[in-house]
Amino acid sequence: MKSSFPPDPELLALNTVTVREKWTLRETIDGCARHRFRGISFSRDRLAEIGVKEAGKAARGSGLTVAGLWGAGRFPASDRRARQAAIDDTRRAVDEAATLEARFLAIVAGSLPGESKDLAGAREMVRDGIGEVLDHARAVGVPVAIEAQHPMHCASQSCVNSLAQALDLCDELDRGGAALGVAVDVYHVWWDPQLERQIERAGDKRLLAFQISDWLPSSKDMLADRGMMGDGVIELPLVRSWMEAVGYRGFHEVEILSAANWWRRDPDEVLATCRVRHQTAS
Amino acid sequence: MKSSFPPDPELLALNTVTVREKWTLRETIDGCARHRFRGISFSRDRLAEIGVKEAGKAARGSGLTVAGLWGAGRFPASDRRARQAAIDDTRRAVDEAATLEARFLAIVAGSLPGESKDLAGAREMVRDGIGEVLDHARAVGVPVAIEAQHPMHCASQSCVNSLAQALDLCDELDRGGAALGVAVDVYHVWWDPQLERQIERAGDKRLLAFQISDWLPSSKDMLADRGMMGDGVIELPLVRSWMEAVGYRGFHEVEILSAANWWRRDPDEVLATCRVRHQTAS
């Protein structure tokens, strides 16, 4: 199963959220280059620091490929106007991704708006919202990646909570196409008994992103207590082998939200550790 | 969908864990009777207070039906001896359930033992463990309910994390039988896009327990921050309607683990609130 261990170091990428507490965007780009990461994924909320165009230019100038752009979606809303605003915003994010020359735009679905308990309704709004941006994404040539988020985020962050559900959306909205795919974040999906089967079902065409971190079994915090690769219980090389078995050759994007630990450390130490753990534990 | 609202008050039951911080077992039994609950489910760790036989006698003497017994299972272990100990313990729990005249014994699967990351291996140990106790459960006449626990508990509490997975175990170990079933706890499964379909698949025969509480969208604590029915985002009447549509007529068992709120309150207030919310929000 662990056919290609250690992984190709050329596939190491960083999601900027991993060092967001200590570094500016420009410092992050420089740091990635210094630590010989090959890819970088941007969080939209930080792009304003230097602007979308400049961020892409700086990344490419530092020898980095822009893996993905994160921070669009969140389609469910209480009224039509707010729903349209989310669609418009996500269309703008498609354009930003194109400007960045990013390989994909990642969608976080959003969930129950306001006081709503209508989970099925929220899921319909997600389907409709993605449907509304897909033509634009096709026209611009930026594939859209739906992130399946952990079920513990179902009420607040995302009502797309399994790879099967995300792939059902792909089949419904983009049958036979390549405009829509999935982002596989091990932290969100490692527990899923169907994980291997759904990665097979996705195939290379639908597998747009692979994010790595680890699940700390002692963790009680749902929001920002992810572990460094190797410090938790996820069989990262096994999951990677499933991705590779269907042809995935994209980046291994480190994304660690860790309020009490990694966000507090010197980002140079964080990135050096990522580099080592990518080789020894991923 | 909400065909039988409000629910039959005669189906209200309490899991003793809901008031475990303030009341002894005997106080809990008396309290349930006083607040006109009809069923009670016991947590095994508290039975020692008065003994299994006496607990069953006291419950029945107070007009309560013993719904279920909780606290067995946890099959994965690092060595053969510890695995056998879990099997032996669960067999004893079957006997205890019989003594209590409980309607079912509930199994919490357990998960990764020690430093293990072998999730597939843990799941095999769970399957094998249940298989080892099933003949005894058949002989004694106590059905075993597998609880599908929330994926956020996958590393530590239970590696059975969806109703589909639990029902796959039923099909594999008890095809066509009635010795094995599932416990549906809304807190653990409310997010599942397959929930309605899997309840249908289970059918009345496999639906041994229905536990209610609520998911608080503001919750950050994975372990003991469940909400009172109506205070969160779960469409309880809708889920109940799915249970009823396939013929489920068992108890609606309140189970609220709430370290910061309900566990601190006067249990008489807690039970009175449960009774109201069962009628108004479940």
Side-chain angles (χ1 to χ4, degrees):
Chain A
M1 294 288 238
K2 304 179 184 180
S3 49
S4 64
F5 196 85
D8 182 355
E10 298 293 311
L11 296 177
L12 183 61
L14 186 81
N15 188 298
T16 58
V17 75
T18 307
V19 293
R20 72 169 199 188
E21 298 294 316
K22 298 274 189 183
W23 271 353
T24 65
L25 196 60
R26 207 173 281 279
E27 286 171 329
T28 306
I29 292 168
D30 293 345
C32 282
R34 194 162 62 246
H35 288 275
R36 289 171 291 129
F37 282 60
R38 296 299 182 219
I40 189 165
S41 276
F42 291 112
S43 180
R44 278 181 85 208
D45 58 350
R46 298 299 290 272
L47 284 176
E49 284 178 29
I50 58 176
V52 177
K53 200 158 192 173
E54 185 56 31
K57 210 171 126 188
R60 290 192 301 276
S62 300
L64 297 166
T65 297
V66 179
L69 177 63
W70 292 78
R74 302 192 180 277
F75 296 107
S78 301
D79 60 73
R80 177 172 292 273
R81 201 165 136 183
R83 285 199 294 280
Q84 188 59 48
I87 290 164
D88 293 342
D89 182 60
T90 303
R91 284 188 182 135
R92 275 194 299 278
V94 168
D95 296 331
E96 293 166 12
T99 302
L100 290 165
E101 300 180 19
R103 293 187 177 177
F104 60 86
L105 171 70
I107 293 281
V108 172
S111 195
L112 298 169
E115 302 293 304
S116 170
K117 303 186 184 196
D118 181 6
L119 185 56
R123 285 170 169 161
E124 282 171 19
M125 289 189 237
V126 169
R127 180 200 58 202
D128 294 347
I130 297 174
E132 290 288 327
V133 302
L134 215 49
D135 275 345
H136 185 59
R138 283 191 190 99
V140 175
V142 173
V144 172
I146 306 167
E147 181 174 52
Q149 282 218 359
H150 198 286
M152 70 187 174
H153 297 319
C154 180
S156 47
Q157 305 287 322
S158 171
C159 58
V160 176
N161 306 104
S162 71
L163 216 46
Q165 187 191 0
L167 289 167
D168 286 348
L169 285 169
C170 294
D171 287 348
E172 182 177 351
L173 297 170
D174 185 46
R175 184 166 292 279
L180 197 56
V182 295
V184 176
D185 181 334
V186 293
Y187 181 81
H188 290 306
V189 299
W190 75 279
W191 58 272
D192 188 347
Q194 288 196 48
L195 183 54
E196 181 179 11
R197 203 181 325 157
Q198 295 299 327
I199 287 173
E200 279 173 19
R201 171 188 167 194
D204 181 38
K205 201 177 65 177
R206 297 274 192 218
L207 294 172
L208 296 179
F210 181 49
Q211 291 188 307
I212 57 176
S213 64
D214 215 333
W215 182 279
L216 303 173
S218 60
S219 182
K220 292 179 186 66
D221 174 5
M222 297 184 196
L223 291 178
D225 191 25
R226 303 192 190 184
M228 176 64 66
M229 296 79 76
D231 287 348
V233 295
I234 303 176
E235 284 191 289
L236 287 159
L238 180 65
V239 179
R240 179 170 57 80
S241 77
W242 296 338
M243 298 283 289
E244 290 171 350
V246 296
Y248 180 79
R249 297 290 179 270
F251 284 114
H252 308 156
E253 178 184 327
V254 178
E255 184 186 58
I256 302 174
L257 290 74
S258 169
N261 186 358
W262 297 100
W263 278 353
R264 295 188 180 189
R265 298 203 198 190
D266 172 5
D268 272 305
E269 182 201 345
V270 177
L271 265 57
T273 308
C274 289
R275 199 167 171 76
V276 170
R277 295 296 183 82
H278 180 239
Q279 290 297 293
T280 60
S282 307
Chain B
M1 293 289 240
K2 304 176 183 178
S3 48
S4 63
F5 197 84
D8 183 354
E10 297 293 310
L11 296 177
L12 183 61
L14 186 81
N15 188 298
T16 59
V17 76
T18 306
V19 292
R20 72 168 199 189
E21 298 294 316
K22 298 271 188 185
W23 270 352
T24 65
L25 195 60
R26 207 174 282 278
E27 287 170 331
T28 306
I29 291 168
D30 293 346
C32 282
R34 194 163 61 247
H35 289 274
R36 290 171 292 128
F37 283 58
R38 295 301 181 218
I40 188 167
S41 276
F42 291 113
S43 179
R44 279 181 84 210
D45 58 350
R46 298 297 290 272
L47 285 177
E49 284 178 28
I50 58 175
V52 176
K53 202 160 191 169
E54 184 56 28
K57 212 172 125 188
R60 290 190 302 274
S62 300
L64 296 165
T65 297
V66 180
L69 178 62
W70 293 78
R74 303 195 179 275
F75 296 108
S78 300
D79 60 73
R80 175 171 295 274
R81 203 165 134 183
R83 284 199 294 280
Q84 188 59 49
I87 291 163
D88 293 343
D89 182 60
T90 303
R91 284 190 183 132
R92 274 194 300 276
V94 168
D95 295 331
E96 292 165 14
T99 301
L100 289 165
E101 299 179 19
R103 292 186 177 178
F104 60 86
L105 171 71
I107 293 283
V108 173
S111 195
L112 298 167
E115 302 292 302
S116 171
K117 303 186 185 195
D118 181 8
L119 185 55
R123 285 170 169 161
E124 283 172 18
M125 289 189 238
V126 169
R127 180 199 59 201
D128 294 347
I130 296 172
E132 291 287 328
V133 301
L134 215 49
D135 275 345
H136 184 59
R138 283 191 190 99
V140 174
V142 173
V144 172
I146 307 169
E147 180 175 51
Q149 282 218 357
H150 197 286
M152 70 187 174
H153 297 318
C154 180
S156 47
Q157 306 287 323
S158 172
C159 58
V160 176
N161 305 105
S162 71
L163 216 46
Q165 187 191 0
L167 289 167
D168 286 348
L169 285 168
C170 293
D171 287 346
E172 181 177 351
L173 297 170
D174 185 45
R175 185 167 290 279
L180 197 55
V182 295
V184 176
D185 181 334
V186 292
Y187 181 81
H188 290 306
V189 300
W190 75 280
W191 60 272
D192 188 348
Q194 290 195 47
L195 183 55
E196 182 179 11
R197 201 180 326 158
Q198 296 299 326
I199 286 174
E200 279 173 19
R201 171 187 166 194
D204 180 40
K205 202 177 66 178
R206 297 277 191 215
L207 294 172
L208 297 178
F210 181 49
Q211 291 188 307
I212 56 176
S213 63
D214 215 333
W215 182 280
L216 303 172
S218 60
S219 182
K220 291 179 186 66
D221 174 4
M222 297 184 196
L223 292 178
D225 191 25
R226 302 192 191 184
M228 177 64 65
M229 294 80 74
D231 287 347
V233 294
I234 303 176
E235 283 191 289
L236 287 158
L238 180 65
V239 179
R240 179 170 58 80
S241 78
W242 296 339
M243 298 284 291
E244 290 170 350
V246 297
Y248 179 79
R249 296 290 179 271
F251 284 114
H252 309 158
E253 178 185 327
V254 179
E255 184 187 57
I256 301 175
L257 289 74
S258 170
N261 186 359
W262 297 100
W263 278 353
R264 294 186 181 190
R265 299 203 197 190
D266 172 4
D268 272 305
E269 182 201 345
V270 177
L271 264 58
T273 308
C274 288
R275 201 169 168 74
V276 170
R277 296 294 183 84
H278 180 239
Q279 290 298 294
T280 59
S282 307

